[in-house]
Amino acid sequence: MNCENGPGDGLQLLKGLEVSAVSFVRDYVELCFDGPVLRALSDPLGVYGGRAWHFPAPGSGDLMRCYIGKTVDGYEEDPERRLTLHFGEHRFVIPLDDGSSLGPEAAHLVGVDESGTTSPLGGMRIWMSS
């Protein structure tokens, strides 16, 4: 199940945007895009430079920081299984299954308001664990 503020508020918002920061916040990870923020509340995983990683395994934080400066060129939304961002050959995945999430919510996407500031007023999408 997923909730959204309005139609078209999904990952397409991030297509063409560059990752400006990867933040590790207590029990979740954020990808920041100079405005919008994608928050992984379940442990993300992916492939970078041909190397698979799964957070919080050793070395995964270093590989996740490599996404800084990369531009989203595609995405997949499978509301029952996962969210995937494509960066050329690289992938960043947020699992949506119950076994991966610490609570009922698996991911948040926070948009920007009229001033360009990150804010739920700019739209917020919440993906629930399945």
Side-chain angles (χ1 to χ4, degrees):
M1 175 181 160
N2 54 44
C3 305
E4 58 185 325
N5 279 355
D9 289 341
L11 296 179
Q12 67 271 15
L13 172 70
L14 302 177
K15 191 168 182 184
L17 296 183
E18 182 180 293
V19 176
S20 59
V22 176
S23 300
F24 303 94
V25 186
R26 293 192 186 256
D27 59 353
Y28 62 92
V29 175
E30 293 180 336
L31 289 184
C32 303
F33 295 88
D34 287 329
V37 173
L38 179 62
R39 186 173 297 131
L41 301 171
S42 58
D43 291 338
L45 56 116
V47 176
Y48 190 90
R51 293 179 55 197
W53 57 269
H54 192 272
F55 187 78
S60 62
D62 292 334
L63 285 172
M64 290 172 66
R65 284 189 284 278
C66 293
Y67 290 86
I68 297 170
K70 301 296 181 207
T71 300
V72 177
D73 62 9
Y75 60 90
E76 297 172 49
E77 289 187 61
D78 181 345
E80 302 300 317
R81 300 178 54 211
R82 68 181 161 266
L83 305 175
T84 305
L85 294 180
H86 299 263
F87 302 86
E89 67 183 80
H90 317 297
R91 301 287 178 269
F92 187 98
V93 179
I94 301 173
L96 302 178
D97 61 280
D98 282 338
S100 297
S101 181
L102 298 175
E105 297 176 6
H108 297 163
L109 176 59
V110 184
V112 295
D113 62 20
E114 310 82 42
S115 71
T117 303
T118 306
S119 167
L121 297 175
M124 182 169 183
R125 174 130 184 203
I126 300 170
W127 288 270
M128 307 299 284
S129 300
S130 56

